[in-house]
Amino acid sequence: MAPIRTERGLDRLVNFSDATVAIAITLLILPLVDAASQIGRQSFGDFVAENFWEILAFVISFAVIARFWVVHHRVFEVVSSYDGAMVWYNFLWLLAIVSIPFSANVLSNGAGERPDVYALYIGNMIVASLAMRLIGVELWRHPELMTEEGRATIDKTAGIAELILMALALVLAVLIPAVNMFWLFLLFLAGPLHALIRRLVYGPTQTPA
């Protein structure tokens, strides 16, 4: 007998994911909260200088989690049901999300040219992106899980460009660590690369169906 999928079950899945993201994004600030006790003994400028890597890791990681949540939210806006595979792909995504505060803390304490630290942090991002890509593929294979609007707009090439560029950033960060995490600026090329991939998959005049 097939398991029963209800709207309440989908709401619980989304709400659980949102709550987990909220906890993860809150945990990012805790190292700086602990460090704030130093402000009474030094100027704010000295505090910023001393905790520069912690602040940078917080800002980058906040933006990263926010971006992942926006993508997750956009995808699930057109989801009307779910299956077992989607649940487990979503848990893989959550695993990557809750690991970001740990990766950010490692990054902030690994100042300097540390290819292993960069690989951990960017690898964390790749896992999250891969999980969302798997969810997208599952929806493409089972369009009955989507709303009518979602079925009309699904793009089976979504997320491929970002995965390629993050994998490239990981390799370059390991091989040329002097550039630091700025290799992630390669993600600004995601738009043109996605357009190229869509053209190769759908043709120059076709649109996703």
Side-chain angles (χ1 to χ4, degrees), residues 58-73:
F58 165 72
V59 172
I60 292 175
S61 301
F62 189 96
V64 166
I65 293 180
R67 174 59 182 168
F68 282 135
W69 181 86
V70 167
V71 173
H72 187 275
H73 175 70

Side-chain angles (χ1 to χ4, degrees), residues 70-139:
V70 167
V71 173
H72 187 275
H73 175 70
R74 186 181 301 146
V75 169
F76 276 84
E77 277 286 278
V78 297
V79 172
S80 59
S81 188
Y82 61 99
D83 59 15
M86 276 187 61
V87 171
W88 287 108
Y89 294 151
N90 193 67
F91 270 114
L92 177 62
W93 183 80
L94 290 175
L95 173 65
I97 293 299
V98 299
S99 298
I100 288 177
F102 168 75
S103 300
N105 199 32
V106 173
L107 178 65
S108 65
N109 288 295
E113 299 178 12
R114 293 288 304 275
D116 54 337
V117 172
Y118 303 151
L120 172 66
Y121 192 86
I122 299 175
N124 200 163
M125 295 174 60
I126 290 175
V127 172
S129 298
L130 177 62
M132 284 308 305
R133 170 65 187 164
L134 291 172
I135 290 174
V137 170
E138 186 69 10
L139 291 173

Side-chain angles (χ1 to χ4, degrees), residues 38-39 41-52 55:
Q38 306 168 17
I39 294 180
R41 302 189 299 272
Q42 60 184 178
S43 69
F44 185 72
D46 290 339
F47 171 80
V48 171
E50 185 173 325
N51 296 278
F52 173 77
I55 295 171

